[in-house]
Tab-separated table of all heavy atoms in Angstrom:
chain	number	residue	atom	x	y	z
A	196	PHE	N	61.618	55.937	-69.638
A	196	PHE	CA	61.060	57.275	-69.846
A	196	PHE	C	59.801	57.447	-68.984
A	196	PHE	O	59.147	56.470	-68.606
A	196	PHE	CB	60.747	57.516	-71.323
A	196	PHE	CG	59.952	56.407	-71.957
A	196	PHE	CD1	58.575	56.388	-71.868
A	196	PHE	CD2	60.584	55.377	-72.626
A	196	PHE	CE1	57.843	55.368	-72.434
A	196	PHE	CE2	59.864	54.355	-73.207
A	196	PHE	CZ	58.476	54.348	-73.093
A	197	ALA	N	59.451	58.700	-68.684
A	197	ALA	CA	58.256	58.987	-67.903
A	197	ALA	C	57.007	58.569	-68.674
A	197	ALA	O	56.961	58.724	-69.899
A	197	ALA	CB	58.186	60.480	-67.583
A	198	PRO	N	55.986	58.048	-67.990
A	198	PRO	CA	54.735	57.728	-68.675
A	198	PRO	C	54.214	58.949	-69.424
A	198	PRO	O	54.328	60.078	-68.936
A	198	PRO	CB	53.805	57.333	-67.527
A	198	PRO	CG	54.734	56.787	-66.481
A	198	PRO	CD	55.946	57.690	-66.570
A	199	ARG	N	53.613	58.692	-70.605
A	199	ARG	CA	53.191	59.789	-71.473
A	199	ARG	C	52.218	59.316	-72.537
A	199	ARG	O	52.096	58.135	-72.792
A	199	ARG	CB	54.397	60.436	-72.144
A	199	ARG	CG	55.117	59.466	-73.083
A	199	ARG	CD	56.475	59.963	-73.582
A	199	ARG	NE	57.404	60.064	-72.479
A	199	ARG	CZ	58.422	60.928	-72.434
A	199	ARG	NH1	58.664	61.721	-73.445
A	199	ARG	NH2	59.208	60.978	-71.389
A	200	ALA	N	51.585	60.286	-73.173
A	200	ALA	CA	50.705	60.024	-74.304
A	200	ALA	C	50.950	61.105	-75.362
A	200	ALA	O	51.581	62.131	-75.074
A	200	ALA	CB	49.249	60.024	-73.867
A	201	TYR	N	50.445	60.854	-76.550
A	201	TYR	CA	50.519	61.800	-77.674
A	201	TYR	C	51.941	62.258	-77.974
A	201	TYR	O	52.187	63.376	-78.370
A	201	TYR	CB	49.559	62.974	-77.454
A	201	TYR	CG	48.165	62.464	-77.215
A	201	TYR	CD1	47.567	62.565	-75.970
A	201	TYR	CD2	47.484	61.817	-78.229
A	201	TYR	CE1	46.306	62.052	-75.731
A	201	TYR	CE2	46.219	61.293	-78.007
A	201	TYR	CZ	45.633	61.412	-76.761
A	201	TYR	OH	44.390	60.886	-76.544
A	202	PHE	N	52.878	61.350	-77.762
A	202	PHE	CA	54.282	61.536	-78.127
A	202	PHE	C	54.458	61.017	-79.546
A	202	PHE	O	53.489	60.647	-80.206
A	202	PHE	CB	55.181	60.771	-77.141
A	202	PHE	CG	54.892	59.289	-77.124
A	202	PHE	CD1	55.683	58.403	-77.827
A	202	PHE	CD2	53.814	58.781	-76.418
A	202	PHE	CE1	55.411	57.038	-77.830
A	202	PHE	CE2	53.525	57.429	-76.406
A	202	PHE	CZ	54.321	56.557	-77.122
A	203	GLN	N	55.671	60.935	-80.006
A	203	GLN	CA	55.944	60.323	-81.304
A	203	GLN	C	56.967	59.215	-81.116
A	203	GLN	O	57.812	59.279	-80.226
A	203	GLN	CB	56.467	61.357	-82.304
A	203	GLN	CG	56.519	60.874	-83.732
A	203	GLN	CD	55.227	60.231	-84.217
A	203	GLN	OE1	55.134	59.019	-84.261
A	203	GLN	NE2	54.243	61.033	-84.556
A	204	ALA	N	56.848	58.191	-81.934
A	204	ALA	CA	57.834	57.110	-81.958
A	204	ALA	C	58.176	56.855	-83.418
A	204	ALA	O	57.297	56.855	-84.283
A	204	ALA	CB	57.289	55.856	-81.307
A	205	VAL	N	59.447	56.653	-83.667
A	205	VAL	CA	59.920	56.452	-85.032
A	205	VAL	C	61.130	55.536	-84.984
A	205	VAL	O	61.850	55.503	-83.981
A	205	VAL	CB	60.255	57.818	-85.696
A	205	VAL	CG1	61.404	58.514	-85.004
A	205	VAL	CG2	60.505	57.685	-87.175
A	206	VAL	N	61.341	54.775	-86.054
A	206	VAL	CA	62.530	53.917	-86.170
A	206	VAL	C	63.551	54.649	-87.023
A	206	VAL	O	63.226	55.197	-88.081
A	206	VAL	CB	62.168	52.551	-86.790
A	206	VAL	CG1	63.423	51.726	-87.032
A	206	VAL	CG2	61.201	51.805	-85.881
A	207	HIS	N	64.799	54.642	-86.535
A	207	HIS	CA	65.884	55.353	-87.216
A	207	HIS	C	67.166	54.558	-87.007
A	207	HIS	O	67.568	54.332	-85.861
A	207	HIS	CB	65.994	56.765	-86.630
A	207	HIS	CG	67.084	57.607	-87.191
A	207	HIS	ND1	67.059	58.108	-88.468
A	207	HIS	CD2	68.226	58.048	-86.632
A	207	HIS	CE1	68.148	58.817	-88.669
A	207	HIS	NE2	68.874	58.798	-87.566
A	208	HIS	N	67.788	54.115	-88.084
A	208	HIS	CA	69.056	53.376	-88.032
A	208	HIS	C	69.021	52.212	-87.035
A	208	HIS	O	69.933	52.051	-86.214
A	208	HIS	CB	70.226	54.297	-87.732
A	208	HIS	CG	70.497	55.308	-88.812
A	208	HIS	ND1	70.729	54.957	-90.120
A	208	HIS	CD2	70.559	56.652	-88.769
A	208	HIS	CE1	70.929	56.041	-90.849
A	208	HIS	NE2	70.819	57.091	-90.046
A	209	GLY	N	67.961	51.403	-87.069
A	209	GLY	CA	67.900	50.200	-86.247
A	209	GLY	C	67.501	50.397	-84.799
A	209	GLY	O	67.529	49.450	-84.019
A	210	SER	N	67.124	51.618	-84.422
A	210	SER	CA	66.639	51.882	-83.064
A	210	SER	C	65.293	52.581	-83.142
A	210	SER	O	65.003	53.284	-84.109
A	210	SER	CB	67.602	52.796	-82.303
A	210	SER	OG	68.811	52.129	-82.018
A	211	MET	N	64.475	52.373	-82.100
A	211	MET	CA	63.229	53.136	-81.996
A	211	MET	C	63.467	54.314	-81.071
A	211	MET	O	64.278	54.237	-80.145
A	211	MET	CB	62.092	52.250	-81.498
A	211	MET	CG	62.243	51.729	-80.104
A	211	MET	SD	60.954	50.542	-79.684
A	211	MET	CE	61.885	49.037	-79.879
A	212	TYR	N	62.793	55.402	-81.369
A	212	TYR	CA	62.920	56.634	-80.594
A	212	TYR	C	61.557	57.037	-80.051
A	212	TYR	O	60.554	56.952	-80.772
A	212	TYR	CB	63.458	57.773	-81.466
A	212	TYR	CG	64.914	57.630	-81.796
A	212	TYR	CD1	65.348	56.740	-82.763
A	212	TYR	CD2	65.866	58.394	-81.131
A	212	TYR	CE1	66.687	56.601	-83.068
A	212	TYR	CE2	67.219	58.260	-81.426
A	212	TYR	CZ	67.615	57.367	-82.396
A	212	TYR	OH	68.945	57.225	-82.694
A	213	VAL	N	61.517	57.469	-78.794
A	213	VAL	CA	60.348	58.074	-78.171
A	213	VAL	C	60.666	59.554	-78.024
A	213	VAL	O	61.700	59.920	-77.447
A	213	VAL	CB	60.042	57.415	-76.808
A	213	VAL	CG1	59.082	58.254	-75.986
A	213	VAL	CG2	59.481	56.018	-77.026
A	214	ILE	N	59.764	60.402	-78.548
A	214	ILE	CA	60.031	61.832	-78.645
A	214	ILE	C	58.831	62.620	-78.112
A	214	ILE	O	57.710	62.448	-78.593
A	214	ILE	CB	60.281	62.231	-80.118
A	214	ILE	CG1	61.421	61.400	-80.711
A	214	ILE	CG2	60.559	63.720	-80.237
A	214	ILE	CD1	61.539	61.505	-82.230
A	215	GLY	N	59.077	63.496	-77.109
A	215	GLY	CA	58.048	64.421	-76.635
A	215	GLY	C	56.865	63.755	-75.976
A	215	GLY	O	56.950	62.672	-75.424
A	216	GLY	N	55.705	64.441	-76.038
A	216	GLY	CA	54.463	63.956	-75.454
A	216	GLY	C	54.035	64.783	-74.249
A	216	GLY	O	54.617	65.828	-73.952
A	217	GLN	N	52.980	64.302	-73.575
A	217	GLN	CA	52.465	65.005	-72.400
A	217	GLN	C	52.046	64.010	-71.332
A	217	GLN	O	51.857	62.829	-71.616
A	217	GLN	CB	51.299	65.922	-72.775
A	217	GLN	CG	50.015	65.203	-73.098
A	217	GLN	CD	48.915	66.147	-73.566
A	217	GLN	OE1	48.697	66.242	-74.754
A	217	GLN	NE2	48.247	66.808	-72.636
A	218	ASP	N	51.867	64.544	-70.088
A	218	ASP	CA	51.571	63.650	-68.976
A	218	ASP	C	50.217	63.844	-68.311
A	218	ASP	O	49.878	63.134	-67.386
A	218	ASP	CB	52.669	63.722	-67.919
A	218	ASP	CG	52.730	65.070	-67.225
A	218	ASP	OD1	51.881	65.960	-67.491
A	218	ASP	OD2	53.645	65.247	-66.399
A	219	PHE	N	49.412	64.797	-68.734
A	219	PHE	CA	48.056	65.021	-68.222
A	219	PHE	C	48.006	65.321	-66.733
A	219	PHE	O	47.040	64.993	-66.055
A	219	PHE	CB	47.135	63.839	-68.566
A	219	PHE	CG	46.812	63.790	-70.028
A	219	PHE	CD1	47.646	63.105	-70.890
A	219	PHE	CD2	45.712	64.447	-70.538
A	219	PHE	CE1	47.382	63.068	-72.248
A	219	PHE	CE2	45.435	64.417	-71.893
A	219	PHE	CZ	46.263	63.726	-72.740
A	220	ASN	N	49.050	65.980	-66.207
A	220	ASN	CA	48.981	66.458	-64.826
A	220	ASN	C	47.894	67.515	-64.727
A	220	ASN	O	47.628	68.232	-65.677
A	220	ASN	CB	50.317	67.051	-64.386
A	220	ASN	CG	51.273	66.006	-63.876
A	220	ASN	OD1	50.923	64.849	-63.699
A	220	ASN	ND2	52.502	66.420	-63.645
A	221	PHE	N	47.283	67.630	-63.561
A	221	PHE	CA	46.242	68.635	-63.336
A	221	PHE	C	46.800	69.732	-62.462
A	221	PHE	O	47.526	69.429	-61.505
A	221	PHE	CB	45.026	67.978	-62.672
A	221	PHE	CG	43.876	68.923	-62.478
A	221	PHE	CD1	43.067	69.267	-63.550
A	221	PHE	CD2	43.622	69.477	-61.242
A	221	PHE	CE1	42.008	70.140	-63.376
A	221	PHE	CE2	42.564	70.361	-61.057
A	221	PHE	CZ	41.760	70.687	-62.135
A	222	PRO	N	46.576	71.008	-62.722
A	222	PRO	CA	45.656	71.539	-63.722
A	222	PRO	C	46.276	71.757	-65.104
A	222	PRO	O	45.574	72.139	-66.040
A	222	PRO	CB	45.228	72.874	-63.130
A	222	PRO	CG	46.446	73.340	-62.382
A	222	PRO	CD	47.081	72.075	-61.839
A	223	GLN	N	47.557	71.514	-65.289
A	223	GLN	CA	48.211	71.732	-66.585
A	223	GLN	C	49.193	70.596	-66.858
A	223	GLN	O	50.017	70.274	-66.011
A	223	GLN	CB	48.976	73.069	-66.588
A	223	GLN	CG	49.821	73.339	-67.805
A	223	GLN	CD	48.989	73.576	-69.063
A	223	GLN	OE1	47.974	74.236	-69.026
A	223	GLN	NE2	49.439	73.026	-70.173
A	224	SER	N	49.109	70.016	-68.041
A	224	SER	CA	50.036	68.945	-68.426
A	224	SER	C	51.463	69.459	-68.502
A	224	SER	O	51.700	70.627	-68.808
A	224	SER	CB	49.687	68.399	-69.814
A	224	SER	OG	48.510	67.651	-69.794
A	225	ASN	N	52.404	68.569	-68.229
A	225	ASN	CA	53.796	68.811	-68.571
A	225	ASN	C	53.984	68.318	-70.000
A	225	ASN	O	53.500	67.243	-70.361
A	225	ASN	CB	54.729	68.043	-67.634
A	225	ASN	CG	54.673	68.583	-66.231
A	225	ASN	OD1	54.854	69.760	-65.997
A	225	ASN	ND2	54.381	67.717	-65.277
A	226	PHE	N	54.666	69.108	-70.802
A	226	PHE	CA	54.938	68.752	-72.191
A	226	PHE	C	56.425	68.469	-72.313
A	226	PHE	O	57.249	69.295	-71.933
A	226	PHE	CB	54.486	69.866	-73.133
A	226	PHE	CG	52.992	69.988	-73.168
A	226	PHE	CD1	52.309	70.750	-72.236
A	226	PHE	CD2	52.259	69.301	-74.121
A	226	PHE	CE1	50.931	70.841	-72.247
A	226	PHE	CE2	50.882	69.380	-74.153
A	226	PHE	CZ	50.210	70.153	-73.211
A	227	PHE	N	56.757	67.291	-72.831
A	227	PHE	CA	58.135	66.817	-72.865
A	227	PHE	C	58.850	67.224	-74.153
A	227	PHE	O	58.242	67.283	-75.218
A	227	PHE	CB	58.171	65.283	-72.766
A	227	PHE	CG	57.537	64.740	-71.515
A	227	PHE	CD1	56.345	64.037	-71.574
A	227	PHE	CD2	58.134	64.917	-70.276
A	227	PHE	CE1	55.755	63.521	-70.436
A	227	PHE	CE2	57.548	64.396	-69.123
A	227	PHE	CZ	56.357	63.707	-69.204
A	228	ASN	N	60.152	67.470	-74.023
A	228	ASN	CA	61.022	67.627	-75.186
A	228	ASN	C	62.260	66.744	-75.038
A	228	ASN	O	63.327	67.052	-75.533
A	228	ASN	CB	61.408	69.085	-75.442
A	228	ASN	CG	62.220	69.701	-74.321
A	228	ASN	OD1	62.249	69.203	-73.198
A	228	ASN	ND2	62.886	70.805	-74.621
A	229	ASP	N	62.056	65.618	-74.353
A	229	ASP	CA	63.135	64.644	-74.210
A	229	ASP	C	63.077	63.635	-75.358
A	229	ASP	O	62.070	63.528	-76.061
A	229	ASP	CB	63.075	63.935	-72.851
A	229	ASP	CG	61.735	63.263	-72.576
A	229	ASP	OD1	60.777	63.457	-73.343
A	229	ASP	OD2	61.646	62.525	-71.573
A	230	VAL	N	64.178	62.928	-75.553
A	230	VAL	CA	64.274	61.922	-76.613
A	230	VAL	C	64.959	60.692	-76.026
A	230	VAL	O	66.005	60.803	-75.380
A	230	VAL	CB	65.070	62.446	-77.827
A	230	VAL	CG1	65.175	61.376	-78.911
A	230	VAL	CG2	64.441	63.720	-78.382
A	231	TRP	N	64.339	59.522	-76.269
A	231	TRP	CA	64.831	58.242	-75.759
A	231	TRP	C	65.028	57.282	-76.915
A	231	TRP	O	64.267	57.311	-77.888
A	231	TRP	CB	63.826	57.648	-74.781
A	231	TRP	CG	63.688	58.465	-73.538
A	231	TRP	CD1	62.945	59.600	-73.363
A	231	TRP	CD2	64.317	58.210	-72.292
A	231	TRP	NE1	63.072	60.061	-72.082
A	231	TRP	CE2	63.911	59.218	-71.393
A	231	TRP	CE3	65.178	57.216	-71.833
A	231	TRP	CZ2	64.337	59.275	-70.076
A	231	TRP	CZ3	65.601	57.264	-70.527
A	231	TRP	CH2	65.188	58.289	-69.653
A	232	ARG	N	66.025	56.383	-76.784
A	232	ARG	CA	66.355	55.437	-77.860
A	232	ARG	C	66.516	54.030	-77.303
A	232	ARG	O	67.065	53.834	-76.228
A	232	ARG	CB	67.657	55.868	-78.531
A	232	ARG	CG	68.182	54.878	-79.549
A	232	ARG	CD	69.429	55.364	-80.250
A	232	ARG	NE	70.497	55.585	-79.279
A	232	ARG	CZ	71.512	56.410	-79.475
A	232	ARG	NH1	71.612	57.109	-80.581
A	232	ARG	NH2	72.444	56.537	-78.558
């Protein structure tokens, strides 16, 4: 997954998930709505 901060991670049915977050690009961050397992 792309480097990011302030995303969420949770365990669900034996897998961890990375959800959303931002990348702090200047002048405006990209905000993610991708999900990784």
Side-chain angles (χ1 to χ4, degrees):
F196 49 86
R199 64 191 66 209
Y201 305 110
F202 59 99
Q203 191 50 259
V205 64
V206 175
H207 178 70
H208 295 304
S210 291
M211 65 187 102
Y212 287 77
V213 165
I214 304 167
Q217 73 184 100
D218 67 4
F219 289 88
N220 275 352
F221 183 77
Q223 173 69 41
S224 289
N225 292 307
F226 291 86
F227 301 110
N228 63 342
D229 55 352
V230 179
W231 294 81
R232 173 177 60 204

